[in-house]
Amino acid sequence: MCNSLEASIKSGITNFITCLILYYHYFHQNDQVHQVFQSLALFFFFVSLMQWYDVIFWLNNEKNNINFFFTKIAMITNHLQPIVLAYLVWSHFKIHFYTKIVLGIYIIFAIYYSINAF
């Protein structure tokens, strides 16, 4: 979380632009190294959604339905980050069996925690 609205906006814009550059710089190249950079760009873009939620929280300082809704969406987005990263890695590489088990355990606990947080 940034310490001001302006910092959140600048951080979100910077992340968006750098993710676009990283993704499209490697767009027409098909080897695995370039696919990794594209996956990283997509993952960092997904992580940057938290900055935009932060902007919404800065614009809505009081308790209201917008804050309530986006707090829940931000929590789900935060819990999905390891899953999105695993999916992006999985789309280009084989994932070890034990990694799949740990991911499955994480998903179970994330769902349980999220349901209880609602």
Side-chain angles (χ1 to χ4, degrees):
M1 181 170 192
C2 291
N3 54 1
S4 72
L5 173 63
E6 295 79 20
S8 293
I9 293 171
K10 287 177 185 177
S11 178
I13 291 171
T14 301
N15 187 287
F16 180 74
I17 291 170
T18 55
C19 286
L20 280 177
I21 291 169
L22 183 62
Y23 185 83
Y24 284 110
H25 179 70
Y26 295 107
F27 188 70
H28 296 294
Q29 302 166 0
N30 283 330
D31 64 349
Q32 282 189 333
V33 172
H34 297 104
Q35 291 173 353
V36 168
F37 283 114
Q38 283 185 318
S39 295
L40 282 173
L42 293 172
F43 176 67
F44 289 139
F45 177 75
F46 186 76
V47 170
S48 77
L49 291 175
M50 297 303 289
Q51 286 305 128
W52 297 109
Y53 298 140
D54 195 26
V55 168
I56 292 168
F57 299 145
W58 276 108
L59 292 174
N60 294 290
N61 288 332
E62 66 244 10
K63 219 174 183 181
N64 57 29
N65 287 336
I66 294 172
N67 247 351
F68 178 80
F69 176 75
F70 279 101
T71 299
K72 303 304 181 193
I73 297 297
M75 179 190 67
I76 292 169
T77 302
N78 194 21
H79 292 168
L80 283 174
Q81 288 175 3
I83 299 166
V84 169
L85 179 60
Y87 172 76
L88 291 169
V89 170
W90 202 340
S91 66
H92 299 294
F93 302 102
K94 287 188 173 186
I95 292 183
H96 196 274
F97 175 73
Y98 295 116
T99 305
K100 292 176 186 176
I101 291 173
V102 170
L103 183 63
I105 292 169
Y106 170 79
I107 290 170
I108 291 167
F109 280 102
I111 290 170
Y112 176 77
Y113 180 83
S114 298
I115 289 171
N116 285 333
F118 270 97

